[in-house]
């Protein structure tokens, strides 16, 4: 039997003026980069998972191999491309693309 850590992220949007996905991604990324998890070991005799307290061991950082970078583009009625549109520009655009 293997043991894994599970991280759950909830985003509560208070207000938006466009670029919601990018703002949410940056917020989550900031949280993950500053998060520290407790160290844990598996006892080889019993197979029991032992999670160390903060006093016993220094928490360790998450190992993130890749960092996401999101940006949005919209196509205006005048066939111009706008990067990082606000809410009004998103509303009048013909099409919106998001790149990760």
């Amino acid at each position: 039997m293997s043991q894994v850590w599970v991280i759950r992220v909830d985003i509560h949007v208070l207000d938006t003026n466009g670029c919601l996905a990018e703002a949410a991604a940056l917020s989550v990324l900031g949280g993950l980069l500053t998060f520290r998890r407790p160290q844990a070991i598996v006892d080889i005799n019993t197979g029991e998972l032992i999670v160390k307290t903060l006093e016993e061991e220094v928490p360790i950082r998450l190992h993130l191999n890749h960092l996401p970078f999101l940006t949005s583009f919209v196509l205006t009625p005048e066939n111009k491309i706008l990067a990082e549109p606000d809410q009004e520009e998103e509303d009048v655009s013909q099409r919106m693309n998001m790149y990760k």
Side-chain angles (χ1 to χ4, degrees), residues 13-88:
V13 178
L14 301 177
D15 191 11
T16 181
N17 189 22
C19 299
L20 179 61
E22 292 89 341
L26 283 174
S27 299
V28 170
L29 183 59
L32 291 175
L33 289 173
T34 58
F35 178 77
R36 304 288 187 265
R37 70 166 178 83
Q39 292 194 31
I41 60 170
V42 176
D43 187 333
I44 58 172
N45 297 324
T46 63
E48 180 183 355
L49 178 68
I50 302 170
V51 178
K52 301 288 186 172
T53 65
L54 299 178
E55 291 79 24
E56 294 175 322
E57 296 282 339
V58 176
I60 57 176
R61 306 172 63 166
L62 293 179
H63 297 285
L64 301 176
N65 296 327
H66 304 282
L67 302 178
F69 180 79
L70 275 68
T71 187
S72 295
F73 298 94
V74 295
L75 184 62
T76 67
E78 297 83 27
N79 288 328
K80 293 183 180 179
I81 298 174
L82 295 177
E84 303 298 333
D86 63 18
Q87 189 64 48
E88 184 179 342

